[in-house]
Amino acid sequence: TADDGYVGYRLNREVPGAGTATLYTDYQCPYCAKAEPTYEKVAKDLEGTMNVTVRNMPLSSHKNAVPAAQAVQAAELQGKHLEMANKLFQTQDSWKGITDKQTELAGLFLSYAQELGLDTEKFKTDLVDSKTLELVEGDFEYGHKIGVKGAPQFVVNDKPLENVDSSTSAEDMAKEFKKAAGLN
């Protein structure tokens, strides 16, 4: 568990006292989009052994990364975190260049929410709720505090790993997570 008490979105069942691998991600980052499917597989592979979570690391170079993270957090409140995250990764090219965040970008994210079967009125409210933005900013600030310098960044028990990136295989990723957590 992270020492700030919040671990992010869980990709597998919690194992109390076990090590925690965390992916710091940016939904506008093409490398994060590449890393996500592998990381989801690792979460399944480590079920019952380690906790696997995701936190937000919207990079300032990606102008729509914060609204995208807010969309994922709003979807999470309705149990559709992964569905929205994967939708945003798959459609990056269609929204990364939008400059009208208030109407065009929010409208596109709302259409994704509708497509995913979310309560669109609740989604609209949660998308702009200050608590949603605070959660995204809190992840970002905590990541910086523990040494996360970019995205995707893989961390085990709040220690960034330098030898795991978006091109690492699921098998090697799981092995490195276990090693960093002191498991064999």
Side-chain angles (χ1 to χ4, degrees), residues 159-170:
K159 289 179 184 57
L161 302 180
E162 299 302 323
N163 55 343
V164 179
D165 62 29
S166 62
S167 63
T168 304
S169 71

Side-chain angles (χ1 to χ4, degrees), residues 26-29 56 58 62-75 81 84-85 88-89 92 95-96 101 105 109 123 127 132 136:
D26 172 329
Y27 299 103
Q28 192 174 335
C29 167
N56 298 292
H62 295 145
K63 300 303 177 206
N64 290 329
V66 170
Q70 289 173 273
V72 172
Q73 292 306 139
H81 175 107
M84 182 61 81
L88 293 180
F89 282 137
Q92 281 176 343
W95 57 265
K96 68 182 181 184
K101 290 178 177 52
L105 188 63
F109 290 166
F123 179 84
L127 184 64
T132 305
V136 171

Side-chain angles (χ1 to χ4, degrees), residues 12 17 25 28 43 51 56-57 61 63 68-69 80 84 86 99 109-111 120 139 153:
N12 63 6
T25 197
Q28 192 174 335
N51 300 305
N56 298 292
M57 183 53 61
S61 59
K63 300 303 177 206
K80 299 275 186 162
M84 182 61 81
N86 287 325
T99 54
F109 290 166
L110 184 63
S111 75
T120 54
D139 279 359
Q153 176 76 65

Side-chain angles (χ1 to χ4, degrees), residues 2-35:
D3 73 17
D4 67 345
Y6 171 75
V7 296
Y9 176 75
R10 293 187 180 285
L11 287 177
N12 63 6
R13 185 177 34 83
E14 181 180 9
V15 180
T20 300
T22 303
L23 166 60
Y24 281 83
T25 197
D26 172 329
Y27 299 103
Q28 192 174 335
C29 167
Y31 297 102
C32 294
K34 182 180 177 199

